[in-house]
């Protein structure tokens, strides 16, 4: 038998050791220990967060007034690239429909907000106020037929709201 036990005289370990049981058990122990101490990935952390707070874009997370402001702001700052109907073009992605769901389904509004804030408008990223970015995000949600609610979309809520294609997908 190879390994650390191979150097011990046979009289110091029982006969079942030579059958490989110890090696198998030691291997299983290592795998189990590795699972217990392995760090969580970002996706695992988001999944746990969502399980604790299962809000989705179907829960009325923005107000109609906020989406109205966002429509005006979108026209001023975004429609030149993403088109007035939010359908995009060859160089800018669509912000509605299946394209939007494909790109952002499963993500949080916080992830979308961060991406938009860091990269848009392309000629001057990050120059709009946080409120302006949230208002535009509310308009995008309305354009995707997600329902409005009584409260405006707030910064502290963004990371706790999942983008889903169906109302029950976040449950």
């Amino acid at each position: 038998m190879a390994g650390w036990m191979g150097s011990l005289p046979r009289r110091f370990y029982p006969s079942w050791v030579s059958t490989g049981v110890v090696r198998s058990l030691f291997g299983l122990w290592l795998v189990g220990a590795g699972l217990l101490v392995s760090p969580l990935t970002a996706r695992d952390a988001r999944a746990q967060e969502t399980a604790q707070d299962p809000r989705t874009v179907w829960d009325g997370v923005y107000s109609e007034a906020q989406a109205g402001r966002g429509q005006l702001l979108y026209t001023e700052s975004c429609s030149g690239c993403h088109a007035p109907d939010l359908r995009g073009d060859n160089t800018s992605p669509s912000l509605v429909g299946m394209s939007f769901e494909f790109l952002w389904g499963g993500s949080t509004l916080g992830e979308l907000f961060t991406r938009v804030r860091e990269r848009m408008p392309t000629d001057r990223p990050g120059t709009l106020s946080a409120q302006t970015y949230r208002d535009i995000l509310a308009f995008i949600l309305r354009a995707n037929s997600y329902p409005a609610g009584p409260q405006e979309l707030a910064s502290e809520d963004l990371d706790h709201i999942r983008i889903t294609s169906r109302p029950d997908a976040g449950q």
Side-chain angles (χ1 to χ4, degrees):
M1 181 168 149
W4 65 272
M5 292 197 75
S7 62
L8 292 175
R10 232 176 175 20
R11 66 177 187 259
F12 289 111
Y13 56 92
S15 62
W16 56 269
V17 170
S18 62
T19 63
V21 172
V22 168
R23 281 185 274 176
S24 297
L25 290 173
F26 184 72
L28 288 173
W29 178 84
L30 282 176
V31 170
L35 290 174
L36 289 175
V37 296
S38 66
L40 290 175
T41 64
R43 186 173 291 272
D44 292 337
R46 284 196 309 264
Q48 284 182 349
E49 209 173 80
T50 301
Q52 295 167 358
D53 190 0
R55 290 182 69 194
T56 71
V57 289
W58 294 96
D59 294 329
V61 297
Y62 68 92
S63 72
E64 193 57 46
Q66 185 177 30
R69 289 192 313 266
Q71 184 172 6
L72 295 173
L73 296 165
Y74 173 88
T75 300
E76 293 171 7
S77 301
C78 311
S79 65
C81 294
H82 292 279
D85 64 359
L86 291 89
R87 297 262 175 226
D89 62 15
N90 292 339
T91 59
S92 299
S94 174
L95 301 174
V96 292
M98 288 176 38
S99 297
F100 178 79
E101 289 176 15
F102 176 77
L103 290 172
W104 294 103
S107 301
T108 65
L109 288 181
E111 291 167 312
L112 176 57
F113 177 85
T114 299
R115 176 78 172 256
V116 171
R117 188 187 66 220
E118 290 176 350
R119 297 184 178 195
M120 300 293 141
T122 55
D123 60 340
R124 48 187 168 69
T127 57
L128 306 176
S129 70
Q131 182 65 51
T132 297
Y133 285 115
R134 285 194 311 273
D135 291 351
I136 291 171
L137 191 55
F139 170 61
I140 293 170
L141 294 175
R142 183 176 74 185
N144 279 284
S145 300
Y146 299 120
Q151 300 292 319
E152 291 200 353
L153 190 56
S155 292
E156 61 271 7
D157 296 333
L158 296 173
D159 289 329
H160 304 286
I161 302 168
R162 182 95 28 212
I163 300 168
T164 64
S165 59
R166 295 182 325 272
D168 60 349
Q171 305 302 328

